[in-house]
Amino acid sequence: MAKDKKEKLNFQLKVPKGTKDWEGKDMVIRDKIFSTITQVFKRHGAVTIDTPVFELKEILAGKYGEDSKLIYDLKDQGGEICSLRYDLTVPFARWLAMNSSVQNIKRYHIAKVYRRDQPAMSKGRMREFYQCDFDIAGTYDPMLPDAEILRITTEIFEALGWKGRYTIKVNHRKILDGIFEVCGVPKDKLRTISSAVDKLDKSPWEEVRREMTEEKGLDEVVADKIGEYVNHKGSRDLLTELSNNETLVANESAKAGLADMALLFDYLEVFGVLDRISLDMSLARGLDYYTGVIYEVVTEGSAPAVSKSSESQRIQRDAKKEAKKTGEDDDRSDDPTVGVGSVAAGGRYDELVGMFSGKNQIPCVGISFGVDRIFSIIKARMEKENAAAVRSTEVDVFVMAFGGKGFTGLLRERMEIAKRLWDAGIKAEFSWKVKPKLQQQFKAAEQGGVPLAIILGEDELAAGKAKLKQMGLEEGHPEKDGVMIDMADLVSEVKKTLARIDQTTTNGFNGMTEAVEKLEV
């Protein structure tokens, strides 16, 4: 019997590669990111939906281009072949196709998705991770929903405290397709060449050109023509330059895309976000379902630590060789050629719903925020600043008691005070010991980052008073030891003090935001 028990326990206790347990202050930070994003979504009139964590395999098949190999397929256990969802966009399009009465909707969805990618855990590149999606479905005048989504994007990153230290790269699939066509790319290679170009954010042009010519069979002359276009980025100046290119505007696809971008830039100027926009001709977005404007958000943590110099190319090649040795399942957090990547991305996908419904085409545009990548950058910034303001709980008041010889613990009195605070909507707790030591109570409050303490003593209670102490005041502060208040005014005094305390103390995420604001990009 003992032998059987030993055999049953003979396994490695761990989480699967590319996943992690979340707890403590990490959860506090992540939950605040969720709530910040959700508030912005609701501000713009969105409703939420939810879909199954797995879909029929045929629903997901053929939607993600070369990334389709990263889909997790499930074993047939019920007569249906299913796969874990790769993103939240395709399930949303499937939902729209199944609910034909819904012809327009602003929807947000926060849920986990799954990709069998090579993980880099400390950089937020995981196999199980959260996405926060916002999509607008319906037929509207051109570029208005697209502009609002980019406005939403800036609102979210400003609310997270990034203070403009991010760039929204934009491009247009029709412009890209027009460039490929005028350069001579065969139609059957448009998407695969697009996927190669999309790697220019992390690989030098020489490496991308080699992939296009040697791996994907593109003529070298055609590749060089593409290079004359895709290595440029700018704003209205670049848009004007492209619009004056007679060869390019003679192509109907490119001409339509350039007109869209001109209109989009006008609307973004009205929304006050044009200064965050970079027209980046290398941005292609590898997913097959995009049909119009595309965008992704990058910040200083997005790019690999290694630059695009000739020396870095050698380092990248060596790192890739080492990755093949260690295996695709191994964590690449220490690989200098791997960055966090984009922290949000999306675009217009006007034909995806029609792929499911046949005739019911519903134009859509949306964006997805990568919470785990955002988290990894915020946490790295906090560690750089030695920020310690994140609280593990949201408790505002710790109710304590002290006394000398014959101390009873004042348990009922502490419970009564806690009840009064709870009834007033104030977050409070007390020690679950009948006779707690004062030092232990202070330690519990400090570990939880609780900003206020109510300290009860028998003599003070007899006089109808208690001590209100703000935690963490420096030595020499006139209120370092607390102030006496009347028990009758306890709730109002607590509320007044909480309102006065600096937000970096009362709200850990705001403390984190302040730390982020101190950093230079």
Side-chain angles (χ1 to χ4, degrees):
M1 187 73 175
K3 183 179 179 181
D4 291 343
K5 185 176 181 181
K6 184 177 181 180
E7 288 178 353
K8 289 181 181 178
L9 295 177
N10 187 24
F11 62 89
Q12 186 178 2
L13 196 60
K14 62 183 287 293
V15 298
K17 290 180 178 179
T19 68
K20 64 175 287 186
D21 293 320
W22 290 81
E23 48 81 29
K25 292 183 178 180
D26 285 357
M27 280 295 294
V28 175
I29 298 171
R30 193 178 73 170
D31 286 349
K32 187 61 182 181
I33 294 172
F34 283 145
S35 64
T36 300
I37 292 175
T38 301
Q39 287 172 9
V40 177
F41 287 166
K42 290 182 176 180
R43 184 187 306 153
H44 286 262
V47 298
T48 190
I49 68 169
D50 194 14
T51 61
V53 73
F54 51 88
E55 297 273 350
L56 294 176
K57 183 177 180 178
E58 60 195 36
I59 294 292
L60 304 183
K63 310 301 188 303
Y64 302 107
E66 294 181 0
D67 285 346
S68 293
K69 63 181 182 293
L70 304 180
I71 295 175
Y72 273 105
D73 293 327
L74 302 179
K75 184 178 180 180
D76 179 10
Q77 293 182 328
E80 293 179 326
I81 306 299
C82 298
S83 301
L84 293 177
R85 61 188 172 203
Y86 177 91
D87 65 6
L88 302 178
T89 305
V90 171
F92 175 55
R94 188 265 307 152
W95 180 86
L96 283 171
M98 291 179 62
N99 294 270
S100 57
S101 61
V102 180
Q103 291 297 302
N104 57 75
I105 185 175
K106 284 183 179 179
R107 149 277 195 190
Y108 74 91
H109 189 184
I110 299 176
K112 289 182 176 180
V113 298
Y114 300 85
R115 298 180 185 179
R116 200 183 187 287
D117 205 352
Q118 189 164 16
M121 300 297 289
S122 68
K123 299 174 182 177
R125 300 172 73 95
M126 306 166 71
R127 290 179 168 180
E128 178 192 62
F129 56 95
Y130 270 100
Q131 285 189 335
C132 297
D133 278 26
F134 182 97
D135 294 84
I136 300 174
T139 302
Y140 302 97
D141 285 343
M143 309 314 292
L144 284 168
D146 313 67
E148 182 163 352
I149 282 180
L150 293 176
R151 166 68 194 192
I152 288 168
T153 302
T154 63
E155 288 183 20
I156 284 174
F157 285 108
E158 293 305 311
L160 289 172
W162 290 30
K163 294 294 181 182
R165 286 190 301 274
Y166 57 91
T167 299
I168 306 174
K169 300 195 297 185
V170 300
N171 203 354
H172 200 296
R173 269 288 174 83
K174 290 183 178 180
I175 297 176
L176 271 177
D177 287 349
I179 288 173
F180 294 152
E181 288 173 10
V182 300
C183 290
V185 177
K187 286 190 177 297
D188 62 344
K189 291 185 182 294
L190 286 179
R191 290 284 72 88
T192 185
I193 296 303
S194 181
S195 294
V197 168
D198 197 48
K199 297 174 183 176
L200 278 170
D201 62 334
K202 48 186 175 290
S203 299
W205 166 248
E206 292 76 13
E207 184 68 22
V208 172
R209 182 184 184 280
R210 187 199 60 76
E211 178 181 331
M212 290 193 295
T213 56
E214 296 181 17
E215 296 181 18
K216 298 181 175 177
L218 189 66
D219 185 274
E220 291 186 358
V221 174
V222 175
D224 290 337
K225 289 181 179 178
I226 293 173
E228 295 175 6
Y229 287 99
V230 299
N231 285 300
H232 294 282
K233 61 182 67 175
S235 187
R236 283 194 185 273
D237 55 342
L238 178 56
L239 185 61
T240 300
E241 180 183 336
L242 294 171
S243 299
N244 291 334
N245 185 315
E246 294 181 1
T247 302
L248 194 57
V249 295
N251 179 276
E252 288 301 317
S253 176
K255 183 179 180 181
L258 289 167
D260 277 351
M261 293 301 290
L263 189 57
L264 176 65
F265 275 30
D266 287 342
Y267 294 154
L268 293 178
E269 189 168 22
V270 175
F271 279 155
V273 299
L274 190 56
D275 61 331
R276 301 310 321 149
I277 303 297
S278 170
L279 177 57
D280 193 322
M281 302 313 297
S282 70
L283 178 65
R285 303 290 300 144
L287 304 183
D288 281 357
Y289 51 66
Y290 289 123
T291 58
V293 64
I294 49 178
Y295 32 78
E296 66 180 30
V297 183
V298 296
T299 186
E300 74 275 9
S302 296
V306 175
S307 67
K308 295 183 179 181
S309 65
S310 57
E311 173 63 15
S312 73
Q313 292 179 43
R314 182 191 63 77
I315 295 174
Q316 288 182 2
R317 287 193 295 269
D318 292 345
K320 288 178 180 179
K321 291 178 182 177
E322 187 63 27
K324 290 180 179 179
K325 289 181 185 178
T326 57
E328 63 180 9
D329 290 335
D330 291 334
D331 188 2
R332 296 180 66 191
S333 293
D334 295 329
D335 186 342
T337 68
V338 177
V340 171
S342 61
V343 291
R348 176 160 288 280
Y349 52 103
D350 288 344
E351 300 171 4
L352 187 56
V353 177
M355 294 177 68
F356 298 122
S357 63
K359 58 182 179 179
N360 186 29
Q361 288 282 13
I362 301 180
C364 300
V365 63
I367 190 167
S368 176
F369 295 84
V371 171
D372 299 285
R373 295 185 179 190
I374 292 171
F375 168 88
S376 70
I377 289 175
I378 287 176
K379 188 172 182 181
R381 288 170 169 172
M382 292 176 62
E383 291 173 350
K384 184 177 179 181
E385 282 293 301
N386 296 317
V390 179
R391 292 165 50 189
S392 58
T393 74
E394 293 188 8
V395 172
D396 290 321
V397 183
F398 201 103
V399 183
M400 306 181 185
F402 75 100
K405 188 176 180 180
F407 176 55
T408 64
L410 300 175
L411 176 59
R412 288 181 176 273
E413 290 80 359
R414 287 185 286 128
M415 294 175 69
E416 173 63 28
I417 296 301
K419 174 183 176 297
R420 286 179 61 184
L421 295 172
W422 294 336
D423 288 345
I426 298 170
K427 306 179 185 75
E429 64 178 355
F430 60 94
S431 173
W432 288 343
K433 285 185 175 293
V434 175
K435 296 181 181 181
K437 294 181 179 180
L438 187 60
Q439 185 178 2
Q440 293 174 338
Q441 296 173 86
F442 270 112
K443 184 177 180 180
E446 289 168 356
Q447 288 178 339
V450 181
L452 285 181
I454 295 290
I455 306 174
L456 307 179
E458 292 180 347
D459 292 342
E460 289 82 0
L461 283 174
K465 294 183 179 295
K467 183 175 286 187
L468 176 61
K469 174 179 170 58
Q470 180 176 339
M471 304 289 285
L473 293 178
E474 67 277 5
E475 292 294 335
H477 192 284
E479 297 182 1
K480 172 69 176 176
D481 295 326
V483 295
M484 298 301 296
I485 61 172
D486 291 328
M487 289 293 290
D489 300 329
L490 183 139
V491 169
S492 61
E493 288 291 336
V494 167
K495 287 185 175 181
K496 184 169 64 176
T497 305
L498 286 174
R500 190 179 72 240
I501 293 176
D502 186 90
Q503 287 298 305
T504 58
T505 303
T506 59
N507 187 315
F509 189 75
N510 283 342
M512 174 188 68
T513 298
E514 182 177 273
V516 169
E517 291 171 3
K518 295 176 183 176
L519 296 177
E520 295 181 358
V521 178

